[in-house]
Amino acid sequence: MPLAAQTAGSSKFIQTFLVYYGEGPTLVAGDAQKMAKFDLIDTNKYRYNELAPNTWAAIKTLNPNIGIYLYEDGTEASNFMDTWSPIAVYGLGRYNVSRGHSMGSLNGNNPGLFLLDSLGKRIYNPGYSSVASNQFFYLMDFGSTAWQSYWLEAVTADYVNQPWVADGVHADNCLTILSAGSYSPPGKYPTDAVWSGAMNTFASAISAGLHGHGQKLWCNRGATDQPGGAAAWLALDSAPAPPDVVAEEGAFAVMWGSTATRFYAETNWKSQVDTLSKIQHSKVAIFSHTNLADGQSGTDNWGKPVTFSQSLWYALGSFLLGKNDVLGNAYFAFTSGTNYDSIQWYNEYDKINLGKAVGPYTVTTIGSVNVYWREFEKGYVYVNPTATDVASVTLPQALRQLTRDNLLSALSTIPSVNSIVLKGHNAAILLKSAVTPLPTPGTYHCLGPASTGVTADHCSHPSPRSCNPGTVAYTAS
């Protein structure tokens, strides 16, 4: 990866990230210990003042290698934040006031930067705008160098040249294709192909601009399940200045829709796994989620029973199939019915360690079902991305199958098996009997109590808006 994309390497088998926005409770002292367990954080800049001596310092004292990114809308601008204080603004806040910007205000001095539909009307995000209240998030001309320059100058003033400056900026709504959003088609970018080309120039330009200020860029992208979206990800990855982090906000198992969990069709799921494996120059943040709370069950979009544990393990297994552990650039988050308003951590992140992958995934067809599996130094991952149950999967050797119920058990108490049942939209994680799943005990750094344990198909705008208690997090040194 380019130097700008680097943070100190992590020895974790599962690298994780946290998104924590405005609807979450005010942070208290113990939250620094919870947040420090993650490898990346995306949050609001106004949370800088919530912990002493400041939030970023409190977290980095416990985890110096963590990357902290601050939320900003990337391709939209609000019309109602002009009077907000700089630490609270996340939609530029320059609709009718310039705040000292050299290009002036957006509405008064730069009306050409607003994208228009076929009727000549300004396009806005219907999910996060209120027509009745005259509050809008307008879609801006992201492909124009004028908007890229305007955005960079505003972000430099509001983020970089401020006491709350962090490691980088999270730019929302860098959508890969038009059809992935809910916008009216812009006359200037009416197709997925034209849209994706313009969006990639935006992401690359603001990445280069932020790097010039010593800052990193996290772009919220999406649509890796679609051919056009996956192609746009790979095109940006080969661009001159790819972002430091690219995010898929809905991978493998998602809460979107009316069911408890929605699973993608195999072709779309495979596109997501393959895209994750192919990114070479950015970190990849993979979001998965469910409407279920831990311990709950419901019905999925295929009309079948689904549980929280099944959703989590399926998402995690899919992630492990695709993660590039040579580059170590893959990061995972799983959340339950969320608006990015809670700190969710699971025992799986601490307890599952299969070591390095022996190679890429392999596909074995059993009956009419393609079963995907991957060997690691210490075990295997199997995933069934279809709705059809597989009665028996023959294993390459005797293995011990992990579950949520036996994660904390001694390895010797988990029986060896030569075959497993792999139901539809399920994953299995298995250990080789001759190895242990955890690192050899060494010197450990206590990080304190862990958290008890996020969305729409568009990143949730922040409003001005697990482990069990007492569990100790540890890392070997």
Side-chain angles (χ1 to χ4, degrees), residues 419-439:
S419 65
I420 59 170
V421 175
L422 194 60
K423 292 184 176 182
H425 298 122
N426 270 260
I429 298 175
L430 305 109
L431 296 175
K432 297 176 181 177
S433 298
V435 299
T436 59
L438 298 176

Side-chain angles (χ1 to χ4, degrees), residues 243-407:
D244 303 275
V245 184
V246 286
E248 170 53 81
E249 198 175 357
F252 314 136
V254 297
M255 61 179 286
W256 304 333
S258 59
T259 58
T261 304
R262 179 160 69 85
F263 298 110
Y264 294 94
E266 180 184 353
T267 300
N268 305 97
W269 168 88
K270 183 177 182 299
S271 178
Q272 294 191 317
V273 172
D274 291 343
T275 303
L276 168 63
S277 71
K278 292 175 182 177
I279 298 301
Q280 300 286 311
H281 300 108
S282 302
K283 300 179 189 301
V284 186
I286 295 294
F287 297 67
S288 296
H289 28 81
T290 177
N291 282 305
L292 299 169
D294 200 344
Q296 285 187 334
S297 61
T299 303
D300 68 17
N301 59 310
W302 300 82
K304 295 205 166 188
V306 62
T307 67
F308 174 91
S309 295
Q310 173 193 341
S311 304
L312 168 59
W313 281 58
Y314 178 79
L316 181 57
S318 301
F319 171 82
L320 296 178
L321 285 179
K323 83 178 185 105
N324 187 328
D325 62 355
V326 175
L327 293 176
N329 65 337
Y331 297 76
F332 180 74
F334 188 85
T335 47
S336 168
T338 185
N339 288 310
Y340 303 121
D341 57 0
S342 60
I343 303 170
Q344 300 181 29
W345 186 269
Y346 306 105
N347 283 331
E348 284 81 355
Y349 301 161
D350 291 316
K351 298 302 181 183
I352 295 175
N353 179 6
L354 302 182
K356 290 292 185 181
V358 174
Y361 70 73
T362 299
V363 183
T364 299
T365 303
I366 301 175
S368 62
V369 177
N370 291 326
V371 172
Y372 295 70
W373 58 276
R374 190 179 191 186
E375 181 181 4
F376 293 82
E377 292 172 330
K378 302 178 184 181
Y380 291 80
V381 173
Y382 283 79
V383 179
N384 178 355
T386 77
T388 303
D389 297 345
V390 176
S392 180
V393 178
T394 301
L395 303 175
Q397 63 187 85
L399 301 171
R400 302 178 190 268
Q401 184 171 5
L402 291 178
T403 67
R404 295 208 90 197
D405 293 333
N406 67 22
L407 266 181

